[in-house]
Amino acid sequence: MPEAPMPDADAPLWQAVLDRDPSPATGPFLYAVTTQGVFCKPGCPSRAPLRRNVRFYADAAAAEAAGFRACKRCDPKGERAALHAEAVRAACAMIEAAETMPSLAALADRAGYARHHFLRLFRDITGVTPRSYAEGVRARRLQASLAAGDRVAEAVAGAGFGSESRVYEDTARHLGMTPGAARRGGVGETIRIAHADSALGPILVGATEKGVCFIGFAETRDALEGDLRARFPNARVVPAEDALAATVRDVVAFVAEPAAALRLPLDLRGTAFQRQVWEALQTIPLGETRTYAGLAAAIGNPAAVRAVARACARNPVSLAVPCHRVVGKDGDLTGYRWGVPRKAALLAGEAKARKLSAG
């Protein structure tokens, strides 16, 4: 009777290679192909080699000591990625230092890449286009000048805008308020607030005349109000328990029993990219989740996974913009502004509600 084949101790590693899994559960490793003399990351897009030609190594140093060289496609040593990152950092510095927006051709020439290739690199690494990045730089300059008390015309010109009309055409995009209000540091804007208790602890709702601009929970009342004031440092904050009673009831009811999406008039302020992510979050159905990578793909920018995660972390209206419905690649809950246990509680409640509605 023939002997049974010996079990392959490296079977999990080999499966990760076959799956092209960039973050295998086994932890980081590299594999080498003896017939090609190269070593790769498990997520390498190259065609899978034959198992008998594969060797596994803990790191690049071990693979190189065995006589293998780094694959040029998957860049297992990260050398090409480091060059790309440095080129994009230099481009960002060039944009920051320029009085007016450098052309794409100038940025690409400075980086040493063709324009289309540089544009893809910049977008992949920063999550935005060079133009969007430059608009963010101009908006910061404008906000700083106005906060310092500069006249609107001078601040607009100094920030690199061609005319005041370009700022007034889309004040929310650049400042979240009119230039005059920004010049006064937000003075003149009123945010009404109301506190309540919920199944997840204290809740604070803040709203401008346009809509809800802040929802926080699970911290002390003072801490929640401090968070709101940090986001709107010079606005007038006034208690408005009666005026916001209906909104607060909706929020508390959603936490207790999320039978339907929390629909509220919102006043969202952020960059164009942040608002794009926040709008995508609002399309995730109750009781479902998306990965950060999936959300990045949904907004047409699949490489901007980290930028998407940062936008989720900056979400000012938890629950109404459901950033808790975004999870890690393997379903891990990862971080959450209000605590991972509360994220788990929210998702469990929504899953239960979805199951009951389906039954």
Side-chain angles (χ1 to χ4, degrees), residues 11-305:
L13 304 181
W14 174 237
Q15 189 59 51
V17 172
L18 294 178
D19 294 340
R20 292 189 173 89
D21 187 350
S23 303
T26 58
F29 71 90
L30 299 172
Y31 72 92
V33 184
T34 58
T35 53
Q36 298 176 4
V38 300
F39 64 92
C40 307
K41 296 186 292 189
C44 184
S46 300
R47 187 173 65 179
L50 296 176
R51 174 65 184 89
R52 64 173 179 268
N53 297 328
V54 174
R55 305 290 183 270
F56 297 101
Y57 297 95
D59 51 37
E64 288 178 327
F68 295 97
R69 65 183 185 278
C71 171
K72 293 184 178 180
R73 293 194 66 182
C74 66
D75 188 28
K77 297 179 68 176
E79 293 175 340
R80 187 170 67 247
L83 289 174
H84 290 169
E86 179 55 37
V88 170
R89 278 195 294 270
C92 290
M94 184 175 176
I95 294 172
E96 295 273 0
E99 293 185 3
T100 58
M101 167 67 187
S103 67
L104 177 61
L107 291 170
D109 288 344
R110 169 68 175 78
Y113 297 103
R115 277 183 291 180
H116 69 280
H117 183 52
F118 170 77
L119 178 61
R120 184 171 66 250
L121 285 180
F122 194 99
R123 189 169 51 221
D124 288 351
I125 292 172
T126 67
V128 296
T129 64
R131 179 166 297 280
S132 293
Y133 186 90
E135 287 177 352
V137 171
R138 289 194 303 181
R140 291 198 304 273
R141 289 176 181 169
L142 177 59
Q143 194 165 30
S145 294
L146 292 171
D150 293 348
R151 295 172 58 87
V152 172
E154 295 171 353
V156 167
F161 290 95
S163 65
E164 291 182 44
S165 63
R166 295 188 62 185
V167 179
Y168 280 99
E169 283 170 1
D170 197 351
T171 56
R173 180 179 183 182
H174 301 300
L175 296 169
M177 61 187 76
T178 66
R183 182 173 180 266
R184 297 187 298 273
V187 173
E189 188 169 32
T190 298
I191 298 178
R192 299 171 298 161
I193 63 170
H195 294 273
D197 292 320
S198 76
L200 292 178
I203 277 181
L204 174 64
V205 175
T208 66
E209 61 181 10
K210 295 180 181 178
V212 175
C213 63
F214 179 84
I215 298 177
F217 61 97
E219 294 180 349
T220 66
R221 292 192 171 202
D222 287 346
L224 292 172
E225 193 167 326
D227 191 344
L228 180 145
R229 290 180 183 277
R231 294 171 185 264
F232 304 93
N234 296 307
R236 178 170 172 258
V237 178
V238 298
E241 305 293 339
D242 292 340
L244 294 177
T247 299
V248 170
R249 280 197 301 270
D250 288 344
V251 175
V252 171
F254 177 84
V255 172
E257 189 175 352
L262 185 58
R263 302 293 185 189
L264 300 171
L266 301 177
D267 182 3
L268 294 177
R269 304 179 185 194
T271 66
F273 180 81
Q274 286 173 332
R275 292 199 304 276
Q276 186 180 22
V277 173
W278 297 340
E279 289 170 4
L281 288 171
Q282 292 175 278
T283 68
I284 303 175
L286 183 82
E288 295 186 16
T289 60
R290 299 288 186 271
T291 63
Y292 292 101
L295 193 63
I299 64 173
N301 202 340
V305 177

